[in-house]
Amino acid sequence: AGSATIAGLEFNDLKSIKAEVIGFGCPSLLSPHLSEHVKNVVTTVIADNDMVPRMSAASVTNALLDVMEYDWTPYARRDMLQAFEAVVEIFPFLKKDLETGEVTSSLDYMIETYVKPTIKKKTCQRVKPELSPPGSCVHLYRDGSGISASIAPATFFQEIDVNRRMIDDHLIPGGYSRMFQDMMRQVNKGKNAGRT
């Protein structure tokens, strides 16, 4: 999609060719100003959480900082307590350790002593993204009851949303193909849209 966008822009410099480009999951490769300037030539379709259109050196750096600074220890504590409760169901004699708070105090000590010091302290510093997906951006997204689409500004895609769909949404079977099939099922009122 990125190469096609650049080729389309180059072809439009020739007087004998008028090219229009539609790219699916095109990476961020233009400044927001230039992206706005080529809206009449380039349309970029972006599936929900697809991370590729959001990727630039700045957005990847910012995402890494977000992940390094994220305090995940409350969730680890919760998961470990749930695991211990499951073990207690198999070995009931361990129940007193859970009830007396011995397990939670040991767990809290280990988290505070060994884990929390490794989490990077929060900073406010982030790199300002310089690149955006090219042209007019059509954003396909899950709205809770189906798939919706809207035109979004290219600057909307300058930040990586770290989540479980960010890679799958860029792929054809789990991302674009599935989203288009789901949209067609909505339009056809649930009838099978077939495979593309």
Side-chain angles (χ1 to χ4, degrees):
S3 299
T5 298
I6 293 169
L9 296 175
E10 293 292 325
F11 281 136
N12 278 318
D13 287 343
L14 304 172
K15 293 192 187 312
S16 61
I17 299 176
K18 182 181 184 314
E20 291 184 19
V21 179
I22 299 175
F24 293 86
C26 186
S28 293
L29 51 88
L30 300 178
S31 70
H33 173 73
L34 190 53
S35 179
E36 185 72 28
H37 181 71
V38 299
K39 274 187 169 183
N40 60 335
V41 176
V42 180
T43 301
T44 299
V45 180
I46 300 169
D48 206 1
N49 295 308
D50 183 350
M51 68 184 264
V52 172
R54 295 167 166 84
M55 288 179 71
S56 66
S59 65
V60 170
T61 300
N62 292 341
L64 287 172
L65 287 171
D66 291 343
V67 169
M68 289 181 352
E69 295 174 357
Y70 184 74
D71 184 4
W72 48 268
T73 56
Y75 305 105
R77 183 182 190 278
R78 178 202 62 203
D79 293 348
M80 291 167 76
L81 285 174
Q82 286 175 346
F84 193 80
E85 288 169 1
V87 169
V88 166
E89 287 186 27
I90 298 168
F91 303 106
F93 65 89
L94 295 172
K95 188 172 186 176
K96 68 177 175 73
D97 293 334
L98 190 60
E99 290 172 347
T100 62
E102 189 174 324
V103 170
T104 54
S105 62
S106 295
L107 186 56
D108 290 339
Y109 172 78
M110 287 189 292
I111 287 173
E112 291 297 324
T113 305
Y114 301 108
V115 178
K116 280 205 173 184
T118 66
I119 296 174
K120 188 175 175 5
K121 301 294 182 232
K122 288 226 180 258
T123 65
C124 295
Q125 294 179 320
R126 293 293 182 265
V127 181
K128 183 179 183 297
E130 301 288 334
L131 299 175
S132 298
S136 181
C137 296
V138 178
H139 188 209
L140 307 175
Y141 58 93
R142 297 167 188 87
D143 61 11
S145 63
I147 306 294
S148 292
S150 64
I151 303 295
T155 54
F156 179 77
F157 304 100
Q158 288 185 326
E159 182 177 313
I160 296 174
D161 181 19
V162 178
N163 62 63
R164 64 188 176 130
R165 298 281 324 163
M166 63 192 228
I167 295 172
D168 284 344
D169 280 351
H170 183 70
L171 304 176
I172 298 300
Y176 289 91
S177 179
R178 170 169 266 153
M179 293 195 89
F180 280 116
Q181 287 176 358
D182 289 349
M183 284 181 73
M184 292 309 299
R185 284 186 190 102
Q186 281 175 230
V187 169
N188 293 328
K189 310 243 186 293
K191 295 177 187 161
N192 189 358
R195 291 200 52 98
T196 55

